[in-house]
Amino acid sequence: MITKALLEDIPALNILINSAYRGESSKQGWTTEANLLEGKRTNETELKEILNNPKNTILKFTENDKIIGSVLLVQKEHQLYLGMLTVSPELQNSGIGKKMLAEAEVFAKSLGLSSIVMTVISVREELIAWYKRHGYVDTGEREAFSQSDIHVTIADKPLEFIFMEKKI
């Protein structure tokens, strides 16, 4: 079941998102960033700030009262920004990500928005190909990847974001 995440979901979301993006647990799935970045992907403070902003929504995919997927949706002017699409590493390739993308489209349409945009780290070729199979196109726009206390690069080459978009 896909519903809006609430403040009480933050601890479970924090564990899920970090387990899918970074560290040893993330290597069970194919969307890991563990070979590119170390540290945490997010933290409870950031998630609380996200949920307290009325332009932001986190959708959660729940099965047997456990959150096994999530996605951040940010209402921009005429677009919906999609970020932190997460599926529990051991459940990746089971269709949950596809369902989350479809629900993001429903959400964007409900807001009267005409497209969904996202950024993806340029070296994540498998992930970029997956998004392309789901109708997203590379806009050609690029942005440098900024490091922080959370995002510590361990990649061999400089990272950048590519912008992808899907008209809906």
Side-chain angles (χ1 to χ4, degrees), residues 87-99:
V87 175
S88 185
E90 67 275 6
L91 298 172
Q92 291 176 12
N93 277 335
S94 65
I96 295 169
K98 185 187 293 189
K99 290 175 184 172

Side-chain angles (χ1 to χ4, degrees), residues 1-162:
M1 174 169 53
I2 300 174
T3 57
K4 286 185 180 181
L6 306 171
L7 288 173
E8 56 260 29
D9 295 319
I10 288 175
L13 288 169
N14 187 49
I15 291 167
L16 171 70
I17 294 165
N18 283 308
S19 75
Y21 280 89
R22 311 271 168 81
E24 284 303 310
S25 63
S26 71
K27 294 177 183 176
Q28 294 176 43
W30 65 273
T31 63
T32 182
E33 293 177 345
N35 58 333
L36 303 173
L37 300 160
E38 58 184 24
K40 301 282 186 193
R41 172 61 183 84
T42 192
N43 58 47
E44 291 191 19
T45 301
E46 180 184 44
L47 291 170
K48 185 175 182 181
E49 288 171 6
I50 287 169
L51 284 177
N52 281 329
N53 183 331
K55 292 203 176 283
N56 299 338
T57 299
I58 295 178
L59 297 180
K60 62 181 179 176
F61 190 107
T62 308
E63 195 170 81
N64 299 323
D65 294 325
K66 184 176 182 195
I67 300 173
I68 57 173
S70 63
V71 64
L72 168 63
L73 304 173
V74 180
Q75 186 178 352
K76 303 268 182 177
E77 293 172 18
H78 303 291
Q79 299 173 316
L80 186 69
Y81 176 82
L82 185 147
M84 281 197 294
L85 177 60
T86 306
V87 175
S88 185
E90 67 275 6
L91 298 172
Q92 291 176 12
N93 277 335
S94 65
I96 295 169
K98 185 187 293 189
K99 290 175 184 172
M100 297 298 291
L101 281 183
E103 195 61 33
E105 289 181 29
V106 169
F107 187 79
K109 288 176 184 174
S110 77
L111 296 173
L113 303 175
S114 60
S115 70
I116 299 177
V117 294
M118 69 176 71
T119 56
V120 182
I121 298 173
S122 58
V123 296
R124 300 192 65 204
E125 294 172 11
E126 283 183 57
L127 187 57
I128 292 166
W130 186 82
Y131 282 120
K132 286 181 176 180
R133 288 192 302 275
H134 291 88
Y136 288 82
V137 297
D138 181 347
T139 67
E141 187 178 348
R142 301 290 185 266
E143 181 179 282
F145 184 91
S146 58
Q147 291 204 72
S148 69
D149 293 342
I150 296 177
H151 307 294
V152 180
T153 302
I154 57 171
D156 296 337
K157 53 186 172 181
L159 302 178
E160 67 178 354
F161 284 117
I162 72 165

